Amino acid sequence: MARKVTGAKTAIWTAAAWLVGFIIFFPILWMMLTSFKTELDAFSTPPSFLFFHWTTENYATVQERSDYTLHAMNSIITAGGSTLIAMAIAIPAAWAMAFAPTKRTKDILLWMLSTKMMPAVGVLVPIYLIYRDFGLLDTRIGLIVVLCLGNLPIVIWMLFTYFKEIPKDILEAARMDGATITKELLFVLTPMALPGIASTLLLNVILAWNEAFWTLNLSTSAAAPLTTFIASYSSPEGLFWAKLSAASTLAIAPILILGWFSQKQLVRGLTFGAVK
Amino acid sequence: MGSITLENVRKSFGSADIIQGASLEIEDGSFVVFVGPSGCGKTTLLRLIAGLEDVTSGQIRIDGADVTDVPPAKRGLSMVFQSYALYPHMSVRGNIAFGLKMAGMPKGEIDRKVEGAASILNLTPYLERKPRDLSGGQRQRVAIGRAIVREPKAFLFDEPLSNLDAALRVQMRQEVTRLQKQLATTAVYVTHDQVEAMTMADRIVVLNAGRIEQYGSPLELYEHPANLFVAGFIGSPKMNLIGREVAGQFGAATIGVRPEHITVARDGEGWEGTVGVAEHLGSDTFIYVDVPQVGTLTARTVGELGIRVGERVRLRPDQRRIHRFDTEGRALAA
Amino acid sequence: MATQQTRTLGRVLIAPAVALLFVWMIVPLAMTIYFSLQYKNLLNPGEESFAGLDNFTYFLTDPAFITALINTLVLVGSVLLITIVLGTFVALLMNMPIYGRNIVRLMVIAPFFVMPTVSALVWKNLLMHPVSGLFAWLMSSVGLEPIDWFTNYPMLAVILIVAWQWLPFASLILLTALQSLDEEQKEAAEMDGAGAVSKFIYLTLPHLARPITVVILIETIFLLTVFAEIFVTTGGGPGLQTTNLAFLIYQAALLQFDVGSASAGGLVAVVIANILAFFLVRIVGRNLEA
């Protein structure tokens, strides 16, 4: 890569790249700016970019409406809970497939992948009816179950691709060193797999947090996570833009930060290891 | 103590027979090398001894005790892997100590043993480093340290030197040999490099397509190869193998002459041919001669003869060092 | 390549995941198939009866189905085209020697982490609003008539929103692929006298063929069932203009409570997705060998 690049060219490319990046990011930036405006400023034409009356009252308002906290809690509990359960099921399975593969391992992996391809809308009716009959509609448990199962294939796949990169030799070395299976898992595999486990966890929280088909269809109020809560802003037209922006900013900020941390792992996670 | 006995050990994966019935007696304290081309089953055989693979049939005994169904952790062997397989998240100390820790040894004793092993291997200054901060040769030493510290019944080496550069490989070769003699612990060593095999082994096992072709001392293998495969595999450059009428004159289906047992002259007796290629190594010259009716023969001459490509020369094999083989490729008695 | 002991353990450990996914897949699918063969409406409980293939006939011959199918294809096709063309462009740009690549990367990837309901509402209200949206102001400041996106070009509006959400995905995958392009190959091409354009056509594009296929397949699977963006912006309208297959099925099921025909529609969606999944699984499977 030791190629000489002229300064002028670099400057042009840099400017172009920053411009493109800025345009792509702009809607989010605009939303964040709007969240600090008064409702009047938010609605004004021509729009004010920076020189408006900065206020945090929208955040206060959003915060005061006690249901915001409730929905944020719902998001945290459903995204976090579904992820933890999925990890608990997926880690042993991925370990088995990576380190004790059988002739059918590949088929099982591909079959798991294919369950993810089933369009949710295809099973909307039965899931809705089962949930209705078992009283799971608009419950956190119900959402956790559906989010957990929906993301399980991705979790297993991601963990599998990470585990597979751990050299088998090292686990065998531990076995030769007299470690039992439990000790091998605890002292050798887990510390080595930790980065992979962490990024799988992160990506899965993001996916669950942003899931907006099941959450919209299976929750209405008590268990509604932020996706559903934000959707409720679509009905009263206009005039709540600043508050909508503030609520939206709060809803995406944590995940945006988590996402930025996990972006390097995103590609392989979402392409099932087909692109690294 | 550490004698290892294999009795008719077989291993198949599905319908493929990787090891087709191997029987072997490895004496306590000896250095035995498994050598053969890639895919011959030498690594599989080692892993069977280690317990990392199940045997399909047959029996493995260590010090007379049947260990065929004993898990690797309980066999009392230690192994040095081709990739070294160091635990990346542990320090050198942690790596060497891991096996002792698993055995539940008290901490003071672990420290003493780890430091002892480290000083033998010149690793003392690196004890607190992580494997990624070490050079290839140092990693290799850690892997060896991890193996010796447990005082196993036997060491298993799986092509341990193949990731080192040529100079370091020669050095480590000598060190491993010296260490093994010093500890007097049985060693089983897998390599595809016949030079390694010849220089390190007390006894060599030549494997081919899952079968043991010959088991003997390096010199036995060199002087009395049991069959064509061993004859061609041991020795560098390769033994010249000649078939057809020429072999018939010697009462064999094939005869073999090593390049170093052929005298090259400009005239006189012997096979006449044209020099195709001459490789000048300084100390030796390898010349490749096209002999009509016989084929291309390699001859090794000491020093420089001033022979040029295209020149006609005479090749005279040392009559006492001609190896004869029957139609099945087996060696005929001299 | 392991011992019997580890293989047995492996089977035990994999069992819960396989069992759960199997139930998760089979039970609802079986129910959907069953419902699709029944006359069943939640508004008339107790009046179920066997319908044969009537639901399929009804759903497939409904003019709304054809419209929804076309809308689905238009939506999927346009978003794919936009994200791949722009994504290639963005990826190439980010692969240049530029300052602050990591920050640009953060800005480009950001939309992917925004929940669909938020991005839809932000675009609808803050950007595309015909009176006080930012686009309206931009248009009028250059002397043009502001566009009333959701009245006049509802489908285009939805396409833009969804494309914005998926552009990061395409860009990031293509960038990752670009970065794995062997530097020596590029140098060899330069030694062979290839210019920037030839290098792109003969080296870069073939190298991107596989990641582009992966992007197409994965995006298609998600785009076939775009739901939240339509749900919070247009509600499928005006008329049926932005109703896609997913939204049509949702309407049949949860607005008209016609379980039978919604199930038939769901199966149609499953079949379409499975055809695509077949190809994706093959691509990923081939990768598994390596």
Side-chain angles (χ1 to χ4, degrees), chain B residues 244-310:
Chain B
R244 286 176 293 196
E245 302 90 66
V246 181
Q249 294 162 15
F250 291 85
T254 311
I255 58 164
V257 191
R258 296 197 183 276
E260 53 271 42
H261 300 147
I262 292 179
T263 317
V264 182
R266 290 209 161 76
D267 39 35
E269 295 274 298
W271 298 312
E272 188 180 16
T274 318
V275 176
V277 179
E279 291 174 349
H280 303 275
L281 303 183
S283 58
D284 301 322
T285 305
F286 298 144
I287 60 175
Y288 299 87
V289 182
D290 297 317
V291 180
Q293 312 298 319
V294 174
T296 303
L297 298 182
T298 313
R300 176 182 156 200
T301 58
V302 177
E304 291 291 326
L305 281 181
I307 286 173
R308 288 203 207 100
V309 170

Side-chain angles (χ1 to χ4, degrees), chain C residues 3-25:
Chain C
T3 58
Q4 194 56 46
Q5 194 196 6
T6 54
R7 271 198 297 272
T8 312
L9 184 72
R11 289 210 184 89
V12 173
L13 294 179
I14 205 172
V18 169
L20 278 172
L21 280 175
F22 187 73
V23 171
W24 165 244
M25 186 178 86

Side-chain angles (χ1 to χ4, degrees), chain A residues 19-78:
Chain A
L19 181 69
V20 167
F22 182 77
I23 291 172
I24 292 174
F25 186 65
F26 183 77
I28 298 170
L29 182 68
W30 189 238
M31 172 193 81
M32 289 175 173
L33 285 176
T34 307
S35 73
F36 291 104
K37 296 175 180 176
T38 59
E39 291 293 356
L40 215 60
D41 278 340
F43 209 71
S44 73
T45 344
S48 37
F49 285 88
L50 287 171
F51 306 104
F52 51 83
H53 175 67
W54 287 72
T55 171
T56 52
E57 69 176 26
N58 299 310
Y59 287 92
T61 319
V62 167
Q63 207 56 273
E64 271 163 31
R65 294 168 59 172
S66 62
D67 51 354
Y68 179 83
T69 337
L70 170 74
H71 300 305
M73 275 312 286
N74 285 340
S75 270
I76 293 169
I77 290 172
T78 53

Side-chain angles (χ1 to χ4, degrees), chain C residues 33-39 49-58 260 264:
Chain C
I33 293 172
Y34 172 75
F35 289 147
S36 72
L37 302 173
Q38 301 282 314
Y39 291 116
S49 60
F50 184 69
L53 295 176
D54 280 5
N55 285 317
F56 290 95
T57 324
Y58 173 76

